Amino acid sequence: GSIQRQEGPNLVISLGKVEAMLSRREQAAGEPYRLGDRIRVLVLEVRRRGPRVVVELSRSHADFVRKLFELEVPEIGEKIVEIKGLAREAGFRTKIAVHSTNAKVDSVGACVGIRGARIRTIVEELNGEKVDIIRWDERPEQLIRNALKPAEVQEIQLGTAEKRAKVHVSKEQLSLAIGKGGQNVRLASRLTGWDIDILCPEAEAEKAAAAAAQPAPTEAPAAPAPDSAGGEVRAESAETAGLTAD
């Protein structure tokens, strides 16, 4: 549709004979909108309000990215490649897990396209939002390892009863595993459905050594606030945190 006018923070989109609303909460962060621009949108809801029909649109919903992949990747429409999971922070980053039902078709390669043509089209539509394409795996340990990429994982310990994973990474991979503002581990947790604790034994050992080298204080100090520099970061899955899983 095309952007017809602005009503406060909301945008009215013309869909031919119908006008629809793209509310502020359904706009992706950082996206520029100009009157007259043609944009792709997801029809989120159609309902009656008295004599009027109200159509709500979205560009921030996870299903918007799902639909873009369905449009750009023919193998998804043909059921050769399946989207097994998707987690998104609109305007910033998306992780999507894919699986091929045909051993001769690479699921990740199909989504990327020749010379990256397919994923480039999707990223351009998302105004540069980062998209990580993850290979789905039925084994939780391998799925978590894939979901945390581009970080390299040393070891994973699974607590099946509480569905919590302790993931060990090297000091060099710690910031990559966590991501900016905890984004990488947070999206990985939502994608896999597992609570993920990022642990770095090296960082913990260095902190312990530094603490041991300090002279004993005359008075017991107040307990420090927890921080991620000690080598541990925890991310809850959507289920534990009360979020809607994508």
Side-chain angles (χ1 to χ4, degrees), residues 75 78-82 99-105 107:
E75 290 86 349
E78 296 166 3
K79 310 296 184 184
I80 297 172
V81 172
E82 299 175 341
H99 169 72
S100 176
T101 60
N102 186 332
K104 296 181 179 179
V105 177
S107 58

Side-chain angles (χ1 to χ4, degrees), residues 180-245:
K180 186 177 181 180
Q183 191 177 75
N184 192 56
V185 66
R186 188 165 57 247
L187 287 174
S189 181
R190 290 172 58 192
L191 183 70
T192 62
W194 283 72
D195 297 339
I196 299 175
D197 301 333
I198 301 293
L199 307 173
C200 180
E202 295 172 68
E204 291 173 356
E206 288 180 7
K207 186 174 182 179
Q214 294 292 325
T218 54
E219 294 182 13
D227 63 58
S228 61
E232 178 173 351
V233 171
R234 174 171 296 177
E236 293 183 338
S237 69
E239 181 180 354
T240 303
L243 301 174
T244 302

Side-chain angles (χ1 to χ4, degrees), residues 122-190:
I122 292 170
V123 169
E124 286 174 359
E125 180 61 43
L126 296 173
N127 285 288
E129 182 175 319
K130 185 175 176 59
V131 179
D132 299 335
I133 304 173
I134 306 301
R135 197 178 305 280
W136 176 264
D137 200 295
E138 294 292 343
R139 298 165 297 174
E141 183 177 341
Q142 187 59 47
L143 179 60
I144 292 168
R145 192 179 295 272
N146 293 347
L148 284 169
K149 288 185 179 298
E152 294 298 326
V153 171
Q154 291 180 328
E155 180 186 355
I156 299 177
Q157 298 170 328
L158 298 179
T160 308
E162 63 275 24
K163 212 172 183 183
R164 182 175 295 278
K166 293 184 178 181
V167 179
H168 295 256
V169 298
S170 68
K171 186 179 177 182
E172 292 75 19
Q173 296 291 312
L174 181 59
S175 61
L176 199 59
I178 296 168
K180 186 177 181 180
Q183 191 177 75
N184 192 56
V185 66
R186 188 165 57 247
L187 287 174
S189 181
R190 290 172 58 192

Side-chain angles (χ1 to χ4, degrees), residues 26-69:
E26 296 299 336
Q27 299 170 21
E31 282 195 335
Y33 299 106
R34 293 178 295 273
L35 294 182
D37 279 358
R38 293 191 63 81
I39 60 172
R40 279 179 168 176
V41 288
L42 173 74
V43 177
L44 199 59
E45 186 180 3
V46 180
R47 68 178 187 276
R48 283 199 170 275
R49 183 182 292 171
R52 296 176 54 211
V53 175
V54 179
V55 181
E56 290 193 10
L57 307 175
S58 179
R59 281 182 61 87
S60 65
H61 199 281
D63 280 345
F64 179 62
V65 178
R66 186 186 299 271
K67 291 297 182 184
L68 289 177
F69 271 89

